[in-house]
């Protein structure tokens, strides 16, 4: 169906199409003619939505800062869960992980060989030398932001420290690969995989980055390796996460049969992950979850 120049734009901005996404659509049409895969309109956020996601992201980052200040050896991961709930509620937001597909807690805390989706517990105590991923997803007024960081508890081994730092680098390299209207989702994965391989890490394949903003998980999938398929071109208004999981050993993982959430490395090797929520802009990329 054709939109006329003076009709309201399809993005929901309430602006006229000619003053909103008309030029954008013409640019995408050219890209398509040039053989590129184009994102669906659902993948494009308008200004109001981006503003909503920014507000959720500010709380999410504030929570991770708060946890960073308080995390220490001897504390139960349950205490991090309580911090997440209380901090988030203080800002009139909610922890989106809670009851997401039945997830029983408010935040994911994943230690050492736990790759992701670790469930906070009063029986899991942080030890000196642990490397810990804390992954928070905040929802405010219906908008979602998702980010995670690694924390090192006291003195950690040199190889664990290097894994943590290099995994952060992998995320940064993924972000740096983004060129609006040019690079595609698969280029992010390729950049991350190339870096990981060169440094002898494996990349977990079972979990990916994802579109985010109006729900926790939206299209597209953001692979952390070079995919076999054609992937969409990155264009302004797309909001998604990059969240590489790198292992010191093999890439294989398994899910705990009892809790059905906790993901471990098959070989027991250490795993690290960092995650940001990103916005593609006209001339680059904005880290929304900074
Ligand atoms: N924050 C996670 C992500 O990065 C999602 C966790 S889902 C949960 O996609 F249910 F495990 F919390
Ligand atoms: Co995510
Ligand atoms: Co996350």
């Amino acid at each position: 169906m054709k939109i006329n120049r003076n009709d309201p734009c399809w993005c929901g901005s309430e602006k006229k199409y000619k003053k909103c996404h008309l030029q954008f659509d013409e640019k995408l049409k050219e890209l398509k003619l040039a053989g590129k895969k184009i994102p669906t309109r659902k993948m494009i956020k308008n200004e109001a939505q981006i503003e909503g996601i920014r507000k959720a992201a500010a709380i999410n980052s504030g929570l991770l800062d708060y946890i960073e200040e308080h995390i220490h050896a001897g504390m139960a991961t349950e205490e991090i869960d309580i911090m997440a709930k209380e901090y988030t509620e203080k800002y009139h937001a909610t922890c989106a992980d809670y009851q997401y597909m039945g997830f029983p807690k408010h935040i994911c805390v994943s230690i050492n060989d736990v790759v992701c989706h670790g469930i906070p517990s009063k029986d899991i105590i942080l030890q000196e030398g642990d490397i810990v991923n804390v992954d928070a997803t905040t929802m405010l007024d219906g908008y979602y932001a998702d980010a995670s960081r690694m924390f090192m508890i006291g003195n950690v081994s040199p190889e664990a420290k290097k894994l943590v730092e290099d995994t952060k680098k992998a995320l940064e390299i993924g972000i740096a690969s983004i060129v609006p209207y040019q690079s595609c989702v698969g280029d992010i994965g390729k950049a991350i995989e190339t870096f990981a391989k060169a440094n002898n890490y494996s990349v977990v394949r079972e979990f990916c980055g994802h579109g985010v903003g109006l729900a926790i998980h939206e299209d597209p999938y953001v692979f952390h390796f070079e995919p076999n398929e054609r992937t969409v071109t990155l264009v302004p208004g797309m909001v998604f996460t990059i969240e590489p999981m790198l292992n010191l050993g093999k890439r294989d993982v398994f899910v705990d049969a009892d809790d059905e959430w906790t993901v471990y490395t098959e070989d027991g090797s250490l795993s690290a992950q960092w995650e940001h929520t990103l916005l593609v802009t006209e001339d680059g990329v904005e880290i929304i979850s900074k």
Side-chain angles (χ1 to χ4, degrees):
M1 200 180 66
K2 189 166 155 42
I3 311 180
N4 291 310
R5 295 172 54 80
N6 291 313
D7 288 345
C9 187
W10 52 259
C11 77
S13 66
E14 293 173 14
K15 284 193 256 180
K16 288 186 176 178
Y17 182 48
K18 67 181 179 194
K19 296 231 157 143
C20 199
H21 279 95
L22 173 64
Q23 277 186 310
F24 171 91
D25 279 349
E26 281 169 357
K27 218 159 174 174
L28 261 58
K29 207 193 271 172
E30 275 174 38
L31 293 175
K32 198 171 174 183
L33 282 171
K36 293 189 161 233
K37 189 167 171 177
I38 298 308
T40 61
R41 285 180 176 172
K42 246 190 126 172
M43 292 181 199
I44 311 300
K45 264 78 181 175
N46 66 33
E47 254 324 304
Q49 292 166 335
I50 290 164
E51 213 28 58
I53 299 165
R54 278 202 190 96
K55 285 184 183 151
I59 298 168
N60 204 63
S61 300
L63 168 61
L64 290 171
D65 291 344
Y66 182 72
I67 291 168
E68 192 158 359
E69 280 169 35
H70 292 89
I71 196 166
H72 61 268
M75 107 194 286
T77 57
E78 172 89 12
E79 293 176 55
I80 298 173
D81 194 70
I82 294 165
M83 275 193 246
K85 181 176 190 296
E86 291 182 347
Y87 184 98
T88 305
E89 285 176 356
K90 195 170 103 190
Y91 291 94
H92 312 290
T94 53
C95 299
D97 286 350
Y98 184 63
Q99 289 306 331
Y100 174 75
M101 293 176 78
F103 189 75
K105 294 288 182 173
H106 301 82
I107 195 162
C108 297
V109 182
S110 305
I111 306 172
N112 296 335
D113 62 327
V114 176
V115 174
C116 61
H117 302 168
I119 303 173
S121 161
K122 59 182 175 19
D123 300 325
I124 302 175
I125 311 296
L126 297 181
Q127 312 285 340
E128 170 102 13
D130 283 347
I131 58 168
V132 186
N133 174 273
V134 178
D135 189 340
T137 311
T138 297
M139 195 266 279
L140 178 72
D141 299 333
Y143 297 108
Y144 294 77
D146 183 9
S148 81
R149 298 180 195 165
M150 294 297 295
F151 302 115
M152 296 183 265
I153 308 302
N155 284 317
V156 309
S157 71
E159 61 173 4
K161 184 165 185 277
K162 188 169 182 301
L163 173 67
V164 167
E165 288 167 354
D166 284 345
T167 305
K168 188 177 189 187
K169 223 184 260 175
L171 168 58
E172 289 163 355
I173 285 168
I175 295 170
S177 78
I178 296 170
V179 185
Y181 300 108
Q182 281 187 45
S183 70
C184 59
V185 167
D187 295 328
I188 297 170
K190 187 177 177 181
I192 290 170
E193 186 176 38
T194 303
F195 170 79
K197 269 193 184 154
N199 290 278
N200 282 316
Y201 302 111
S202 63
V203 179
V204 174
R205 291 182 170 239
E206 284 79 356
F207 304 92
C208 299
H210 48 89
V212 65
L214 309 184
I216 300 192
H217 293 142
E218 303 174 354
D219 286 337
Y221 282 111
V222 179
F223 304 103
H224 304 118
F225 55 89
E226 189 176 9
N228 278 323
E229 58 199 76
R230 228 159 55 103
T231 55
V232 295
T233 306
L234 300 170
V235 301
M238 290 178 76
V239 178
F240 55 84
T241 73
I242 305 178
E243 49 183 296
M245 285 144 273
L246 266 51
N247 300 346
L248 270 187
K250 297 212 168 77
R251 72 171 175 85
D252 309 74
V253 300
F254 70 93
V255 179
D256 187 297
D258 293 324
D259 70 29
E260 295 178 340
W261 277 104
T262 314
V263 178
Y264 295 89
T265 56
E266 185 83 53
D267 61 8
S269 65
L270 292 178
S271 185
Q273 177 179 31
W274 291 81
E275 175 177 27
H276 268 312
T277 294
L278 291 327
L279 165 71
V280 180
T281 62
E282 281 297 328
D283 48 15
V285 57
E286 177 186 326
I287 302 174
I288 291 202
S289 57
K290 221 169 192 134

